[in-house]
Amino acid sequence: MPANGNIVNALNMTAYTGGFTNELQTSVEPYSWKMIFQNSFSSTRKEAFEERLKMYAYVFLAEIGNLNEVIYEYQLDGETVTLSVTSKEASEFAGAEIKKVGTDINLFEELVRRTGLSNVVLGGVSVEANAQVDVSDRHKTEDVLEFTVVNYAEDDVYGISLNVECGSVSGQQSMSEADGKALQSGLNVNFQLIQEDFAAEIKDGSAAVIRLSVMDRDGIAHEVQGQVYADLYWGSDYRLNLSGNSNKGYLLEQ
């Protein structure tokens, strides 16, 4: 897959999924692109999450001329799950051969309309591209609540769980490194929640209580002292600081 930086400039997938690593299979056809997500997701989000991943894959398969399969790997409640989307499936969704869709602006516009990915900038041309999509441009999307936890913990933390409570309704998400290593001190850990992460609708301005727990080397969970109160607005980013250690206790502050 020859390098080309003009694949889908405004797809903004990481605002929804968080970061990921790539594995490319280009030795034999079908060429495939595997994305391994860093975040762990709740099984209550499974249906909506996988549906959105398929929409992204349809666009990638249309715009990357020699890509035939997109594979996602992620954690649902700690269990590894794999989702594969092929060119055949994308063609069935689009109602036309997916590579033809990528070369026809009208067909591509119709594909984008069907996916509902309104944040995609229509390119109108097919590109032969390296499947390592540039995700450095991370604009917020209106249907995401983003939480940035700065890890100032004094000892190694191997996982962080976020809990956002709005009255009797709560949304959760957990994050750990795919290779099982400790989360690096001083770096940001990003969480993204969507409406489907909550059992009931969360409206703009809803009062919320934000709590954290962390996991140590032995897999033992530690509740973090302190809580942050915030009014939630979709499309906003909330910055949180994690400090302390397992002996004296961890502390959450804003």
Side-chain angles (χ1 to χ4, degrees), residues 13 17 22 37 73 78-79 99-100 128 136-137 140 158 163 178 188 197-198 214 228 239 244-245:
M13 186 175 72
T17 64
N22 296 288
F37 296 118
E73 182 178 302
E79 179 181 351
K99 301 307 175 186
K100 182 179 179 181
E128 293 289 324
S136 59
D137 186 17
K140 303 287 188 303
Y158 287 79
N163 186 65
N188 296 347
D197 288 319
F198 298 88
V214 300
V228 170
R239 186 179 178 88
N245 55 57

Side-chain angles (χ1 to χ4, degrees), residues 4-251:
N4 190 314
N6 299 318
I7 303 174
V8 182
N9 293 325
L11 190 55
N12 193 30
M13 186 175 72
T14 56
Y16 185 84
T17 64
F20 60 89
T21 58
N22 296 288
E23 289 184 5
L24 301 178
Q25 193 292 109
T26 59
S27 57
V28 294
E29 293 192 31
Y31 295 153
S32 66
W33 174 22
K34 184 176 184 179
M35 285 168 269
I36 305 172
F37 296 118
Q38 298 171 344
N39 287 352
S40 178
F41 304 94
S42 170
S43 59
T44 60
R45 184 179 183 175
K46 183 177 187 297
E47 183 176 349
F49 181 66
E50 291 187 346
E51 186 67 18
R52 179 71 72 94
L53 292 183
K54 290 178 182 179
M55 300 301 111
Y56 291 132
Y58 297 151
V59 175
F60 284 124
L61 289 163
E63 285 288 271
I64 304 174
N66 55 355
L67 178 66
N68 295 307
E69 183 180 25
V70 176
I71 303 169
Y72 302 105
E73 182 178 302
Y74 46 94
Q75 299 284 319
L76 282 179
D77 292 340
E79 179 181 351
T80 300
V81 177
T82 300
L83 174 67
S84 172
V85 183
T86 64
S87 291
K88 180 181 178 181
E89 294 172 84
S91 297
E92 291 174 353
F93 177 85
E97 203 281 318
I98 197 63
K99 301 307 175 186
K100 182 179 179 181
V101 172
T103 62
D104 186 310
I105 183 60
N106 294 320
L107 291 177
F108 188 65
E109 286 180 346
E110 175 62 17
L111 173 66
V112 172
R113 186 191 67 78
R114 289 189 179 189
T115 64
L117 297 175
S118 59
N119 57 324
V120 174
V121 174
L122 300 177
V125 294
S126 179
V127 295
E128 293 289 324
N130 185 325
Q132 295 191 54
V133 176
D134 179 7
V135 295
S136 59
D137 186 17
R138 299 185 178 187
H139 300 294
K140 303 287 188 303
T141 55
E142 293 182 356
D143 58 353
V144 174
L145 293 170
E146 186 162 354
F147 301 87
T148 300
V149 179
V150 186
N151 178 25
Y152 293 124
E154 299 167 13
D155 49 14
D156 288 341
V157 170
Y158 287 79
I160 299 177
S161 293
L162 171 80
N163 186 65
V164 180
E165 299 178 1
C166 298
S168 60
V169 180
S170 64
Q172 299 87 27
Q173 192 174 105
S174 298
M175 194 278 180
S176 59
E177 293 289 6
D179 57 10
K181 293 182 178 179
L183 301 174
Q184 190 170 345
S185 179
L187 295 186
N188 296 347
V189 179
N190 297 309
F191 297 86
Q192 297 83 22
L193 295 180
I194 61 173
Q195 182 62 70
E196 286 81 0
D197 288 319
F198 298 88
E201 181 182 4
I202 303 299
K203 296 181 179 180
D204 276 346
S206 296
V209 180
I210 305 168
R211 296 183 173 89
L212 295 179
S213 62
V214 300
M215 184 175 65
D216 64 19
R217 181 191 300 271
D218 299 319
I220 299 174
H222 300 261
E223 294 297 324
V224 176
Q225 301 173 24
Q227 52 197 24
V228 170
Y229 297 89
D231 293 333
L232 300 182
Y233 290 90
W234 294 100
S236 297
D237 186 358
Y238 301 86
R239 186 179 178 88
L240 309 168
N241 295 322
L242 171 67
S243 60
N245 55 57
S246 57
N247 290 328
K248 296 182 179 180
Y250 297 96
L251 179 64

